Amino acid sequence: MTVLDPALVTDLAAQVAGSVLGPDDAGFDAARSIHNGLIDKRPAVIVRCHTAGDVVAALALARQEGLEVSIRGGGHNVAGRAVTNGGVMVDLAEMKRIEIDPEARTATAEGGVLWAELNDAAAEHGLAVTGVRSRRPVSRVTPSGAVSAG
């Protein structure tokens, strides 16, 4: 298992608006759990992102340290790709911003938005989306540049 220098983790935590969890932190095990309970991977660090800047900072640390990156949207990827062993887990679950442009009939959603949340936001403008009404992340199946996160 990769162990990061505590100073690097402290520096990362100072750069992000979200939280940074290491293996010894409260909530680490819950944050690394995913829908498929058979997957038991342990990242070196979990970055629970609130902003795009948080994602950038997490990726910069991974690049600097030569670590694998995993992206967690809702944790529904059955193969467990949302979590990495010894790498940097970028958790998008708290990134919930949704923008609806009723005139253009478009929506922009951050990586932690669930289909049910997007459907509700679109309905406020008399619009509907083609996803299902579920607790699954929009990022998992969205085309046009979205990351397919687990």
Side-chain angles (χ1 to χ4, degrees):
M1 163 121 170
T2 303
V3 177
L4 287 176
D5 179 344
L8 290 173
V9 176
T10 299
D11 289 347
L12 178 61
Q15 295 176 42
V16 301
S19 58
V20 176
L21 300 172
D24 295 329
D25 292 327
F28 178 83
D29 285 331
R32 72 181 179 89
S33 69
I34 58 174
H35 186 69
N36 181 349
L38 297 175
I39 304 296
D40 186 24
K41 297 179 184 176
R42 298 186 63 81
V45 66
I46 300 171
V47 183
R48 302 191 82 180
C49 300
H50 286 188
T51 68
D54 292 356
V55 175
V56 170
L59 295 177
L61 173 70
R63 179 180 294 141
Q64 173 187 322
E65 296 300 309
L67 298 174
E68 180 178 81
V69 173
S70 65
I71 308 293
R72 182 181 193 273
H76 281 83
N77 182 283
V78 72
R81 293 188 185 108
V83 62
T84 178
N85 263 324
V88 176
M89 180 176 166
V90 178
D91 187 345
L92 306 178
E94 296 176 4
M95 294 182 68
K96 297 286 195 176
R97 189 171 48 91
I98 300 171
E99 293 178 11
I100 304 290
D101 182 341
E103 291 179 21
R105 301 169 59 95
T106 60
T108 303
E110 289 185 328
V113 173
L114 304 176
W115 277 112
E117 295 163 338
L118 184 58
N119 282 326
D120 290 345
E124 291 175 15
H125 299 279
L127 300 172
V129 294
T130 57
V132 295
R133 179 158 183 81
S134 80
R135 304 302 304 163
R136 291 188 174 230
V138 172
S139 62
R140 179 159 163 74
V141 293
T142 307
S144 303
V147 173
S148 180

PDB file of all heavy atoms in Angstrom, residues 10-11 14-15 23 49 52 56 76 78 81 87 96 98 100 103 110 119 139 144:
ATOM      1  N   THR A  10      -1.404  17.251   3.955  1.00  0.00           N
ATOM      2  CA  THR A  10      -1.748  18.515   4.619  1.00  0.00           C
ATOM      3  C   THR A  10      -1.782  19.655   3.611  1.00  0.00           C
ATOM      4  O   THR A  10      -2.697  20.489   3.624  1.00  0.00           O
ATOM      5  CB  THR A  10      -0.739  18.832   5.745  1.00  0.00           C
ATOM      6  OG1 THR A  10      -0.792  17.773   6.702  1.00  0.00           O
ATOM      7  CG2 THR A  10      -1.055  20.151   6.429  1.00  0.00           C
ATOM      8  N   ASP A  11      -0.790  19.699   2.710  1.00  0.00           N
ATOM      9  CA  ASP A  11      -0.760  20.730   1.673  1.00  0.00           C
ATOM     10  C   ASP A  11      -1.981  20.624   0.759  1.00  0.00           C
ATOM     11  O   ASP A  11      -2.593  21.637   0.409  1.00  0.00           O
ATOM     12  CB  ASP A  11       0.517  20.626   0.837  1.00  0.00           C
ATOM     13  CG  ASP A  11       1.763  21.058   1.589  1.00  0.00           C
ATOM     14  OD1 ASP A  11       1.634  21.679   2.676  1.00  0.00           O
ATOM     15  OD2 ASP A  11       2.870  20.766   1.088  1.00  0.00           O
ATOM     16  N   ALA A  14      -5.106  21.940   2.378  1.00  0.00           N
ATOM     17  CA  ALA A  14      -5.130  23.403   2.426  1.00  0.00           C
ATOM     18  C   ALA A  14      -5.537  24.010   1.080  1.00  0.00           C
ATOM     19  O   ALA A  14      -6.020  25.145   1.026  1.00  0.00           O
ATOM     20  CB  ALA A  14      -3.765  23.934   2.844  1.00  0.00           C
ATOM     21  N   GLN A  15      -5.376  23.253  -0.001  1.00  0.00           N
ATOM     22  CA  GLN A  15      -5.686  23.752  -1.349  1.00  0.00           C
ATOM     23  C   GLN A  15      -7.131  23.538  -1.778  1.00  0.00           C
ATOM     24  O   GLN A  15      -7.591  24.182  -2.711  1.00  0.00           O
ATOM     25  CB  GLN A  15      -4.796  23.045  -2.381  1.00  0.00           C
ATOM     26  CG  GLN A  15      -3.330  23.324  -2.268  1.00  0.00           C
ATOM     27  CD  GLN A  15      -2.557  22.482  -3.276  1.00  0.00           C
ATOM     28  OE1 GLN A  15      -2.960  22.330  -4.421  1.00  0.00           O
ATOM     29  NE2 GLN A  15      -1.444  21.918  -2.826  1.00  0.00           N
ATOM     30  N   PRO A  23      -6.006   7.013   5.125  1.00  0.00           N
ATOM     31  CA  PRO A  23      -6.447   5.727   5.694  1.00  0.00           C
ATOM     32  C   PRO A  23      -6.735   5.750   7.194  1.00  0.00           C
ATOM     33  O   PRO A  23      -7.528   4.947   7.668  1.00  0.00           O
ATOM     34  CB  PRO A  23      -5.284   4.787   5.376  1.00  0.00           C
ATOM     35  CG  PRO A  23      -4.628   5.399   4.186  1.00  0.00           C
ATOM     36  CD  PRO A  23      -4.775   6.888   4.358  1.00  0.00           C
ATOM     37  N   CYS A  49     -14.232  16.179  -3.523  1.00  0.00           N
ATOM     38  CA  CYS A  49     -14.197  17.466  -4.217  1.00  0.00           C
ATOM     39  C   CYS A  49     -15.510  18.244  -4.100  1.00  0.00           C
ATOM     40  O   CYS A  49     -16.597  17.670  -4.153  1.00  0.00           O
ATOM     41  CB  CYS A  49     -13.866  17.239  -5.685  1.00  0.00           C
ATOM     42  SG  CYS A  49     -12.277  16.436  -5.932  1.00  0.00           S
ATOM     43  N   ALA A  52     -14.224  22.338  -9.221  1.00  0.00           N
ATOM     44  CA  ALA A  52     -13.314  21.865 -10.270  1.00  0.00           C
ATOM     45  C   ALA A  52     -11.867  22.076  -9.848  1.00  0.00           C
ATOM     46  O   ALA A  52     -10.989  21.267 -10.169  1.00  0.00           O
ATOM     47  CB  ALA A  52     -13.613  22.592 -11.580  1.00  0.00           C
ATOM     48  N   VAL A  56      -8.601  19.523  -9.908  1.00  0.00           N
ATOM     49  CA  VAL A  56      -7.292  19.880 -10.464  1.00  0.00           C
ATOM     50  C   VAL A  56      -6.189  19.627  -9.439  1.00  0.00           C
ATOM     51  O   VAL A  56      -5.138  19.059  -9.758  1.00  0.00           O
ATOM     52  CB  VAL A  56      -7.288  21.348 -10.947  1.00  0.00           C
ATOM     53  CG1 VAL A  56      -5.884  21.811 -11.298  1.00  0.00           C
ATOM     54  CG2 VAL A  56      -8.226  21.518 -12.134  1.00  0.00           C
ATOM     55  N   HIS A  76     -21.265   3.229  -8.608  1.00  0.00           N
ATOM     56  CA  HIS A  76     -22.080   2.130  -9.123  1.00  0.00           C
ATOM     57  C   HIS A  76     -21.363   1.237 -10.126  1.00  0.00           C
ATOM     58  O   HIS A  76     -21.929   0.273 -10.606  1.00  0.00           O
ATOM     59  CB  HIS A  76     -23.365   2.671  -9.768  1.00  0.00           C
ATOM     60  CG  HIS A  76     -24.403   3.026  -8.766  1.00  0.00           C
ATOM     61  ND1 HIS A  76     -24.409   4.232  -8.120  1.00  0.00           N
ATOM     62  CD2 HIS A  76     -25.449   2.332  -8.278  1.00  0.00           C
ATOM     63  CE1 HIS A  76     -25.428   4.271  -7.277  1.00  0.00           C
ATOM     64  NE2 HIS A  76     -26.073   3.131  -7.355  1.00  0.00           N
ATOM     65  N   VAL A  78     -19.745  -1.692 -11.415  1.00  0.00           N
ATOM     66  CA  VAL A  78     -19.695  -3.036 -10.839  1.00  0.00           C
ATOM     67  C   VAL A  78     -18.269  -3.580 -10.773  1.00  0.00           C
ATOM     68  O   VAL A  78     -17.937  -4.382  -9.909  1.00  0.00           O
ATOM     69  CB  VAL A  78     -20.641  -4.005 -11.596  1.00  0.00           C
ATOM     70  CG1 VAL A  78     -20.096  -4.353 -12.969  1.00  0.00           C
ATOM     71  CG2 VAL A  78     -20.896  -5.253 -10.774  1.00  0.00           C
ATOM     72  N   ARG A  81     -14.115   0.338 -10.568  1.00  0.00           N
ATOM     73  CA  ARG A  81     -13.169   1.325 -11.098  1.00  0.00           C
ATOM     74  C   ARG A  81     -13.229   2.669 -10.383  1.00  0.00           C
ATOM     75  O   ARG A  81     -12.371   3.518 -10.595  1.00  0.00           O
ATOM     76  CB  ARG A  81     -13.406   1.512 -12.589  1.00  0.00           C
ATOM     77  CG  ARG A  81     -13.050   0.276 -13.378  1.00  0.00           C
ATOM     78  CD  ARG A  81     -13.107   0.528 -14.875  1.00  0.00           C
ATOM     79  NE  ARG A  81     -12.880  -0.712 -15.582  1.00  0.00           N
ATOM     80  CZ  ARG A  81     -13.821  -1.372 -16.226  1.00  0.00           C
ATOM     81  NH1 ARG A  81     -15.047  -0.912 -16.273  1.00  0.00           N
ATOM     82  NH2 ARG A  81     -13.534  -2.503 -16.838  1.00  0.00           N
ATOM     83  N   GLY A  87      -3.715   4.648  -4.811  1.00  0.00           N
ATOM     84  CA  GLY A  87      -3.695   5.854  -5.628  1.00  0.00           C
ATOM     85  C   GLY A  87      -4.518   6.973  -5.023  1.00  0.00           C
ATOM     86  O   GLY A  87      -4.798   6.996  -3.826  1.00  0.00           O
ATOM     87  N   LYS A  96     -22.550  19.042  -6.836  1.00  0.00           N
ATOM     88  CA  LYS A  96     -23.974  18.916  -7.159  1.00  0.00           C
ATOM     89  C   LYS A  96     -24.555  20.080  -7.975  1.00  0.00           C
ATOM     90  O   LYS A  96     -25.766  20.165  -8.132  1.00  0.00           O
ATOM     91  CB  LYS A  96     -24.781  18.810  -5.856  1.00  0.00           C
ATOM     92  CG  LYS A  96     -24.459  17.585  -5.032  1.00  0.00           C
ATOM     93  CD  LYS A  96     -25.054  16.368  -5.674  1.00  0.00           C
ATOM     94  CE  LYS A  96     -25.078  15.194  -4.723  1.00  0.00           C
ATOM     95  NZ  LYS A  96     -25.747  14.062  -5.336  1.00  0.00           N
ATOM     96  N   ILE A  98     -26.103  22.273 -10.737  1.00  0.00           N
ATOM     97  CA  ILE A  98     -26.852  22.028 -11.965  1.00  0.00           C
ATOM     98  C   ILE A  98     -27.243  23.384 -12.539  1.00  0.00           C
ATOM     99  O   ILE A  98     -27.749  24.241 -11.821  1.00  0.00           O
ATOM    100  CB  ILE A  98     -28.150  21.222 -11.700  1.00  0.00           C
ATOM    101  CG1 ILE A  98     -27.833  19.873 -11.078  1.00  0.00           C
ATOM    102  CG2 ILE A  98     -28.964  21.070 -12.991  1.00  0.00           C
ATOM    103  CD1 ILE A  98     -29.070  19.124 -10.589  1.00  0.00           C
ATOM    104  N   ILE A 100     -29.569  24.952 -15.655  1.00  0.00           N
ATOM    105  CA  ILE A 100     -30.547  24.691 -16.707  1.00  0.00           C
ATOM    106  C   ILE A 100     -30.720  25.973 -17.505  1.00  0.00           C
ATOM    107  O   ILE A 100     -30.973  27.032 -16.933  1.00  0.00           O
ATOM    108  CB  ILE A 100     -31.922  24.273 -16.120  1.00  0.00           C
ATOM    109  CG1 ILE A 100     -31.792  23.053 -15.202  1.00  0.00           C
ATOM    110  CG2 ILE A 100     -32.940  24.043 -17.234  1.00  0.00           C
ATOM    111  CD1 ILE A 100     -31.466  21.765 -15.882  1.00  0.00           C
ATOM    112  N   GLU A 103     -34.065  28.424 -22.356  1.00  0.00           N
ATOM    113  CA  GLU A 103     -34.167  28.915 -23.741  1.00  0.00           C
ATOM    114  C   GLU A 103     -33.406  28.008 -24.705  1.00  0.00           C
ATOM    115  O   GLU A 103     -33.902  27.675 -25.774  1.00  0.00           O
ATOM    116  CB  GLU A 103     -33.665  30.346 -23.824  1.00  0.00           C
ATOM    117  CG  GLU A 103     -34.579  31.334 -23.110  1.00  0.00           C
ATOM    118  CD  GLU A 103     -34.052  32.752 -23.171  1.00  0.00           C
ATOM    119  OE1 GLU A 103     -33.237  33.066 -24.056  1.00  0.00           O
ATOM    120  OE2 GLU A 103     -34.484  33.547 -22.312  1.00  0.00           O
ATOM    121  N   GLU A 110     -22.680  18.912 -12.650  1.00  0.00           N
ATOM    122  CA  GLU A 110     -21.394  18.468 -12.128  1.00  0.00           C
ATOM    123  C   GLU A 110     -21.414  16.960 -11.893  1.00  0.00           C
ATOM    124  O   GLU A 110     -22.466  16.325 -11.888  1.00  0.00           O
ATOM    125  CB  GLU A 110     -21.062  19.214 -10.843  1.00  0.00           C
ATOM    126  CG  GLU A 110     -20.706  20.664 -11.084  1.00  0.00           C
ATOM    127  CD  GLU A 110     -20.258  21.385  -9.831  1.00  0.00           C
ATOM    128  OE1 GLU A 110     -20.735  21.048  -8.722  1.00  0.00           O
ATOM    129  OE2 GLU A 110     -19.436  22.298  -9.961  1.00  0.00           O
ATOM    130  N   ASN A 119     -33.437  15.465 -13.170  1.00  0.00           N
ATOM    131  CA  ASN A 119     -34.842  15.457 -13.592  1.00  0.00           C
ATOM    132  C   ASN A 119     -35.643  16.519 -12.853  1.00  0.00           C
ATOM    133  O   ASN A 119     -36.450  17.249 -13.453  1.00  0.00           O
ATOM    134  CB  ASN A 119     -35.472  14.084 -13.351  1.00  0.00           C
ATOM    135  CG  ASN A 119     -35.085  13.073 -14.400  1.00  0.00           C
ATOM    136  OD1 ASN A 119     -34.899  13.385 -15.555  1.00  0.00           O
ATOM    137  ND2 ASN A 119     -34.944  11.838 -13.975  1.00  0.00           N
ATOM    138  N   SER A 139     -23.033  11.318 -14.379  1.00  0.00           N
ATOM    139  CA  SER A 139     -21.695  11.192 -14.975  1.00  0.00           C
ATOM    140  C   SER A 139     -21.406   9.812 -15.517  1.00  0.00           C
ATOM    141  O   SER A 139     -20.569   9.638 -16.385  1.00  0.00           O
ATOM    142  CB  SER A 139     -20.626  11.568 -13.954  1.00  0.00           C
ATOM    143  OG  SER A 139     -20.674  10.696 -12.849  1.00  0.00           O
ATOM    144  N   SER A 144     -20.736  13.302 -24.610  1.00  0.00           N
ATOM    145  CA  SER A 144     -20.272  14.665 -24.921  1.00  0.00           C
ATOM    146  C   SER A 144     -19.303  15.226 -23.909  1.00  0.00           C
ATOM    147  O   SER A 144     -19.495  16.306 -23.359  1.00  0.00           O
ATOM    148  CB  SER A 144     -21.465  15.622 -25.078  1.00  0.00           C
ATOM    149  OG  SER A 144     -22.327  15.147 -26.068  1.00  0.00           O
TER     150      SER A 144
END
